[in-house]
Amino acid sequence: MPAPTPKPISEAYLEKMHAYWRAANYLSVGQIYLKDNPLLTVPLRIEHLKPRLLGHWGTTPGLNFLYVHLNRLIKQHELNMIYVIGPGHGGPGIVAQTYLEGSYSERYPAIERNRNGMLRLFKQFSWPNGIPSHVAPETPGSIHEGGELGYSLAHAFGAAFDNPSLIVSCVIGDGEAETAALAASWHSNKFLNPKSDGAVLPILHLNGYKIANPSVLSRISRQELTDLMRGYGYEPHFVEGDEPMQVHRDLAATLDHVLGRIQEIQSEARSVGPGVTLARPRWPMIIFRTPKGWTGPAFVDDKPVENTWRAHQVPIANFQNPEHLAQLEAWLKNYRAEELFDDQGRFREEYAALAPTGHRRMGMNPHANGGELLRTLQLPDFTQYAVAVAAPGQVQAEATRVLGGFVRDIMRWNLASRNFRVFGPDETASNRLEAVFEVTGKSWMAERKAVDLDLDSDGRVMEILSEHVCEGWLEGYLLTGRHGLFSCYEAFIHVIDSMLNQHAKWLKVTRQIPWRAPIASVNYLLTSHVWRQDHNGFSHQDPGFIDFVANKKAEIVRIYLPPDANCLLSVAAHCLHSRNYINVIVAGKQPDWQWLDIEAASRHCAAGAGVWEWACNDQGNPDVVLACAGDVPTLETLAAVTLLREYEPDIRIRVVNVVDLMALQDQSEHPHGLEEHQFDSLFTTDTPVIFAYHGYPSMIHKLTYKRRNHQNFHVRGYREEGTTTTPFDMVVLNNLDRYQLALDAISRSARFAHKLPEATARYWTTMQRHKAYISEHGDDMPEVRDWRWTH
């Protein structure tokens, strides 16, 4: 792809671009303020204004300016480009731009490109049953909501991976640039391969202020800012000013130069043969410094507004003051809308012709509606990776290592499609998924040394020690029509709680937008979990991500706790096939006993929960139900069964394992919930249930509170006790151990109430022996360490 030869842009063309900018600004102000009189054909009156003024003006004119210039670049060079807007509260501008280019009316035919359509466009903004003030899923061309700052650049790079023809223009607000997530995201250029990936054009938009304070990067010297960006590995280009026509000239020339440099980088990389190690390029970026609230009121009530923090939201708000109404009218008329729109409210063709057409329009680019491009992920038959289980509890395996073989071949099967990547913060091998390195390496464009392993400029495993960046990459990758898997230590996935929250909201809204095609699900594999972090200690022990996810909308979230490797295979295959969900899988990586053969595992996972008949002797009338969810709780439950049969041979026990956590919830609350008769057939309506659970016990009570037998549920789980200790001592510290579960069963079973003193004394004797043994030997008692299922 040869670099373009920039041609000087005529002043006449720049004047048309300036007019286009005026039109976008007029529509932006109109959305914030007007519910009537869209073309100001009569003098502005108070009844033309919205009663509640909601929106953000300050960043909008800068975003509009950039959009106009990117349109020129797209049209002149037939570019494939999308626009990621970090300051997403500039929503009125992007809605205005997609309206002017026609994308908005194509998605929403009722918003016509005339006076009536303009009125509807204005009235719907920040209006009940209308559209949000941010760049939301309803906005054509958007993959980034922007309501929460920090994620734009990671989303942009995620979109660019494996999209060699795509350029992602990413505007980073100067407030957003202060966030930790964004600061780490600058390093994404060390992972972008110019040969096989697209390009990201970061545009740092410095308008000087946040909501009420100056921004940090706007108050350091130009040299310091240059050094910072060069230190991140970029070549910064400054465009600065407040005189529009000069800024038009400067930005046009800079964009031509920057595009030429991007295409030179790509052309050079794509001309080398296979196997050649590529040097990491220094990608260009733009620092765009313009006034906050540009072209808005300079003063309101004798206080400066333009180029201050006062321009951030609604510059003129108190219309009890009649001077404010006149000032708003003057502001709107300053854009000279009568020159831009005809009497019917149609954008004049001489200006409308400046926009790209078809899918070249950023509002209609299919990469910004990734479901349109989504191809089904090719999955091998997961049953071919199964652990051979002739009988329960007779063979051990590392669940995630078994999954690693499956993931390896998923990667192999989809190499040609280049639509699957694995993400994680430096933990792929630690989490036992290293089989994937037999097929691909770790993406890496920075320096390499002889001791390095599996680094590859074309690698498809994405590792950076920032959960924020991994999550942002993954979301950007999925939102543009691809598939992925995120592997992480359970305790530290909390870092991305807020990012997941935003993505869950995005998915919820898109389900109600007919033109938003479904995208691949976000799939989390959480391992190195709470019960097997005995070596790292308390700081690494936290199962609370489950609680956070469970609070999201039921149609969005799914939570799985496979008890063994074969169940993990079944769950993973299901999740990787799914669309528009957030799937959380929690599974261990340490050697552990395997319970179900692959056929039984598949049936069990499809049901979500079930009675393990081979572990039961209840004959339809149990004294106690021992339930479990999670691999370690399952182990302790089955060990408790063997103890109880030794202590009380005639006790009738039913064992229920739960793999799909949301199956516990009433079906009225979650689509995966068991029907009432199904739940009762597992847990009965009156039998004590001792529930050994992977996470915080309160979650089980929340999920089952509507169930008839809820009052008989007694839950053991993590209770915020941990340290560096033995594996078994971890469950002891949290009263989830087999001895505690056995004592609970006896204490809750009416037939054995008279045995409680004896059972209690036995329990405390065992605990004393356990504590003494681990203190002396640094390991668990042989009866625990060497236990195996024998029934």
Side-chain angles (χ1 to χ4, degrees):
M1 183 165 46
T5 302
K7 297 178 181 178
I9 301 173
S10 70
E11 287 295 307
Y13 196 88
L14 287 175
E15 287 287 355
K16 287 184 178 181
M17 292 175 65
H18 184 67
Y20 201 116
W21 181 50
R22 284 162 39 212
N25 287 338
Y26 179 81
L27 295 178
S28 300
V29 180
Q31 287 176 79
I32 295 172
Y33 284 98
L34 300 181
K35 67 173 184 179
D36 201 355
N37 195 16
L39 288 169
L40 299 185
T41 51
V42 299
L44 189 64
R45 299 192 300 271
I46 192 75
E47 57 264 30
H48 297 151
L49 305 186
K50 296 177 178 180
R52 299 171 67 246
L53 300 175
L54 305 167
H56 296 76
W57 165 246
T59 191
T60 296
L63 294 176
N64 279 334
F65 201 96
L66 290 164
Y67 203 106
V68 173
H69 278 261
L70 293 172
N71 272 349
R72 193 271 304 177
L73 211 63
I74 293 167
K75 186 167 184 180
Q76 183 174 336
H77 301 285
E78 297 186 346
L79 300 179
N80 180 16
M81 180 180 286
I82 63 173
Y83 196 40
V84 172
I85 309 97
H89 43 266
I94 310 309
V95 171
Q97 291 286 358
T98 54
Y99 178 74
L100 290 174
E101 72 186 18
S103 298
Y104 207 91
S105 297
E106 288 184 36
R107 294 301 192 189
Y108 304 101
I111 310 295
E112 303 162 292
R113 302 177 76 186
N114 55 30
R115 181 200 301 264
N116 290 335
M118 188 184 298
L119 178 60
R120 294 188 185 98
L121 185 82
F122 287 0
K123 187 171 181 179
Q124 70 173 359
F125 182 81
S126 287
W127 191 267
N129 302 310
I131 63 170
S133 65
H134 289 77
V135 181
E138 294 92 337
T139 310
S142 172
I143 66 165
H144 176 81
E145 205 274 352
E148 182 170 344
L149 303 179
Y151 316 139
S152 61
L153 195 56
H155 282 162
F157 275 94
F161 293 141
D162 294 321
N163 265 330
S165 70
L166 184 66
I167 298 177
V168 185
S169 294
C170 178
V171 183
I172 299 125
D174 46 4
E176 179 177 36
E178 297 175 12
T179 65
L182 199 289
S185 295
W186 290 111
H187 291 299
S188 300
N189 59 2
K190 285 80 173 176
F191 300 85
L192 191 77
N193 186 336
K195 187 169 187 174
S196 53
D197 297 328
V200 174
L201 174 58
I203 303 173
L204 178 60
H205 184 203
L206 294 182
N207 58 35
Y209 296 90
K210 306 187 287 283
I211 294 175
N213 287 289
S215 60
V216 171
L217 295 186
S218 71
R219 295 296 181 92
I220 63 177
S221 71
R222 178 165 176 162
Q223 186 60 55
E224 187 177 355
L225 185 54
T226 299
D227 291 346
L228 177 65
M229 291 300 132
R230 284 190 61 82
Y232 277 129
Y234 297 88
E235 189 61 45
H237 299 267
F238 285 79
V239 177
E240 304 171 286
D242 59 5
E243 197 287 303
M245 291 310 299
Q246 187 57 48
V247 180
H248 280 303
R249 297 183 194 101
D250 293 345
L251 182 58
T254 300
L255 283 171
D256 281 338
H257 175 78
V258 162
L259 177 62
R261 180 62 189 134
I262 288 172
Q263 294 185 334
E264 285 174 2
I265 290 170
Q266 293 179 332
S267 179
E268 181 180 344
R270 294 169 190 183
S271 66
V272 302
V276 177
T277 300
L278 299 173
R280 177 167 64 91
R282 184 176 288 277
W283 292 94
M285 58 90 61
I286 294 173
I287 297 172
F288 184 59
R289 192 191 300 264
T290 58
K292 194 175 185 79
W294 203 9
T295 75
F299 291 86
V300 176
D301 295 332
D302 298 322
K303 295 178 180 177
V305 175
E306 185 184 38
N307 205 24
T308 77
W309 52 268
R310 292 189 181 92
H312 184 73
Q313 290 181 305
V314 182
I316 305 172
N318 178 18
F319 288 98
Q320 300 303 315
N321 183 342
E323 293 181 2
H324 285 188
L325 186 64
Q327 193 172 14
L328 173 61
E329 186 173 34
W331 177 13
L332 284 162
K333 286 189 171 181
N334 188 54
Y335 295 117
R336 306 193 303 280
E338 68 279 3
E339 300 175 6
L340 308 170
F341 302 94
D342 66 20
D343 292 342
Q344 299 304 312
R346 292 186 291 261
F347 195 32
R348 295 187 187 274
E349 181 57 30
E350 63 182 298
Y351 305 123
L354 271 61
T357 58
H359 284 165
R360 298 291 183 192
R361 292 171 294 174
M362 290 192 285
M364 292 300 287
N365 191 304
H367 292 282
N369 188 17
E372 292 183 346
L373 302 176
L374 186 65
R375 289 181 288 177
T376 300
L377 191 66
Q378 299 303 306
L379 298 184
D381 179 2
F382 70 88
T383 66
Q384 300 305 303
Y385 303 84
V387 177
V389 179
Q394 301 306 302
V395 63
Q396 288 191 322
E398 299 163 87
T400 59
R401 193 181 299 281
V402 173
L403 179 66
F406 183 46
V407 173
R408 173 200 62 212
D409 290 348
I410 295 173
M411 185 68 76
R412 177 179 286 124
W413 281 38
N414 294 276
L415 278 179
S417 300
R418 300 187 67 84
N419 64 344
F420 177 66
R421 292 198 181 214
V422 174
F423 301 79
D426 191 33
E427 294 159 2
T428 306
S430 174
N431 288 334
R432 309 291 197 267
L433 300 178
E434 68 268 34
V436 73
F437 297 134
E438 298 171 22
V439 176
T440 187
K442 291 177 277 190
S443 175
W444 189 256
M445 290 295 298
E447 179 189 5
R448 297 187 217 173
K449 297 186 177 181
V451 296
D452 295 331
L453 290 176
D454 301 316
L455 300 184
D456 185 350
S457 60
D458 200 34
R460 310 192 57 72
V461 175
M462 312 301 297
E463 291 194 339
I464 185 173
L465 199 50
S466 166
E467 287 85 357
H468 281 133
V469 176
C470 290
E471 175 72 14
W473 284 347
L474 173 61
E475 289 178 4
Y477 201 65
L478 300 179
L479 286 161
T480 47
R482 281 75 64 74
H483 305 260
L485 174 68
F486 187 166
S487 152
C488 188
Y489 283 15
E490 182 183 43
F492 303 131
I493 194 64
H494 273 301
V495 171
I496 59 90
D497 278 4
S498 196
M499 297 182 77
L500 178 145
N501 188 48
Q502 295 298 320
H503 191 71
K505 292 175 186 296
W506 179 281
L507 292 177
K508 175 186 180 295
V509 173
T510 60
R511 285 170 171 261
Q512 301 155 11
I513 301 174
W515 56 266
R516 284 280 182 188
I519 61 172
S521 299
V522 177
N523 298 304
Y524 297 100
L525 173 65
L526 307 186
T527 186
S528 299
H529 61 55
V530 57
W531 303 111
R532 288 294 183 259
Q533 278 294 338
D534 41 87
H535 60 299
N536 277 322
F538 196 37
S539 66
H540 286 53
Q541 296 159 358
D542 187 335
F545 190 69
I546 292 173
D547 299 59
F548 173 72
V549 172
N551 286 322
K552 303 298 112 185
K553 293 294 291 186
E555 65 263 30
I556 301 299
V557 297
R558 307 288 185 263
I559 301 168
Y560 300 96
L561 296 162
D564 65 4
N566 287 339
C567 289
L568 176 58
L569 286 170
S570 177
V571 164
H574 171 76
C575 291
L576 287 166
H577 264 308
S578 67
R579 302 284 185 271
N580 270 10
Y581 293 141
I582 293 172
N583 296 313
V584 178
I585 307 170
V586 185
K589 68 181 185 182
Q590 303 296 342
D592 222 332
W593 295 112
Q594 304 299 298
W595 309 112
L596 304 180
D597 63 36
I598 194 63
E599 290 79 12
S602 299
R603 292 193 300 271
H604 182 52
C605 293
V611 174
W612 280 4
E613 298 288 354
W614 49 267
C616 304
N617 67 343
D618 63 301
Q619 300 172 343
N621 183 29
D623 292 307
V624 63
V625 175
L626 295 185
C628 46
D631 50 8
V632 168
T634 297
L635 171 67
E636 293 304 309
T637 295
L638 292 170
V641 170
T642 61
L643 291 173
L644 285 167
R645 290 176 179 172
E646 176 186 336
Y647 301 157
E648 306 295 342
D650 66 335
I651 189 170
R652 300 189 299 269
I653 302 169
R654 177 178 297 176
V655 175
V656 175
N657 182 266
V658 177
V659 63
D660 181 345
L661 191 64
M662 309 316 285
L664 295 173
Q665 204 163 18
D666 188 89
Q667 200 168 61
S668 65
E669 302 286 335
H670 195 284
H672 281 202
L674 294 171
E675 293 184 12
E676 186 173 349
H677 72 90
Q678 294 174 313
F679 187 91
D680 292 346
S681 70
L682 297 180
F683 296 100
T684 80
T685 58
D686 55 6
T687 305
V689 178
I690 310 303
F691 204 121
Y693 173 54
H694 176 86
Y696 292 102
S698 60
M699 178 51 59
I700 301 300
H701 289 296
K702 290 177 183 177
L703 295 175
T704 60
Y705 81 99
K706 284 189 174 182
R707 299 299 190 175
R708 284 198 288 178
N709 200 29
H710 173 240
Q711 72 277 7
N712 284 318
F713 270 63
H714 310 284
V715 187
R716 296 288 185 181
Y718 185 67
R719 59 190 190 100
E720 210 65 27
E721 294 292 340
T723 184
T724 302
T725 185
T726 69
F728 184 67
D729 195 46
M730 263 300 297
V731 291
V732 169
L733 290 172
N734 290 277
N735 294 125
L736 185 65
D737 62 277
R738 59 199 67 183
Y739 300 104
Q740 179 68 67
L741 297 176
L743 177 60
D744 288 346
I746 292 171
S747 68
R748 299 291 181 180
S749 301
R751 281 207 306 135
F752 297 92
H754 63 287
K755 297 291 188 74
L756 184 57
E758 175 188 351
T760 302
R762 180 172 56 227
Y763 169 78
W764 285 113
T765 298
T766 305
M767 289 299 99
Q768 290 170 358
R769 186 160 52 85
H770 157 72
K771 291 295 184 182
Y773 190 92
I774 65 171
S775 294
E776 180 178 353
H777 299 280
D779 198 2
D780 288 320
M781 298 184 296
E783 66 199 70
V784 170
R785 186 187 63 230
D786 301 332
W787 175 89
R788 63 188 302 169
W789 177 256
T790 55
H791 293 270

